[in-house]
Amino acid sequence: METVWRFKPETEFYTDEKCFIVEMLNTPDDEACSIARARVEPGITTCLHAVRGTVERYVILEGEGEVEIDGAPYVPVGPADVVSIPAGRSQRIKNTGTTSLVFLAICTPRFRPESYVDLETSA
């Protein structure tokens, strides 16, 4: 098992969720946790979604935005804020600033695509 994973910005990819992702750590060798760097462009709101069986934590690194969890009113977020999202709860984040909103998405247990629930098209 590796002990150091190098950040590879060239691996960034765009998702149907309307954000860019760099998978920093997501491996069967560490089922307990995954870490991704997410980037949302100015004026964009990610798609409403949930992740079954997985707790997510957003650690805001850059930019400003608003997060909605489980239909509650949007809450402003900025650098050094941590957002905790219980497993299976609806969520989305909006970039309200003029630069990219960048945050780490830390999932426990690790993120698996089959756990993702698109609430935009399935509603």
Side-chain angles (χ1 to χ4, degrees), residues 32-112:
C33 176
S34 65
I35 304 169
R37 197 238 15 216
R39 184 172 63 83
V40 180
E41 294 185 326
I44 299 297
T45 301
T46 62
C47 293
L48 188 65
H49 69 283
V51 184
R52 287 187 302 259
T54 302
V55 175
E56 284 192 272
R57 290 150 198 96
Y58 292 170
V59 180
I60 310 300
L61 301 175
E62 301 172 20
E64 55 190 56
E66 297 177 336
V67 65
E68 176 195 331
I69 301 170
D70 210 23
Y74 278 98
V75 175
V77 294
D81 288 341
V82 177
V83 179
S84 183
I85 305 160
R89 299 288 174 86
S90 66
Q91 59 184 285
R92 62 180 145 203
I93 194 165
K94 177 190 325 182
N95 182 339
T96 59
T98 58
T99 62
S100 288
L101 174 63
V102 179
F103 57 96
L104 298 179
I106 302 169
C107 296
T108 54
R110 79 179 178 100
F111 176 80
R112 295 171 174 266

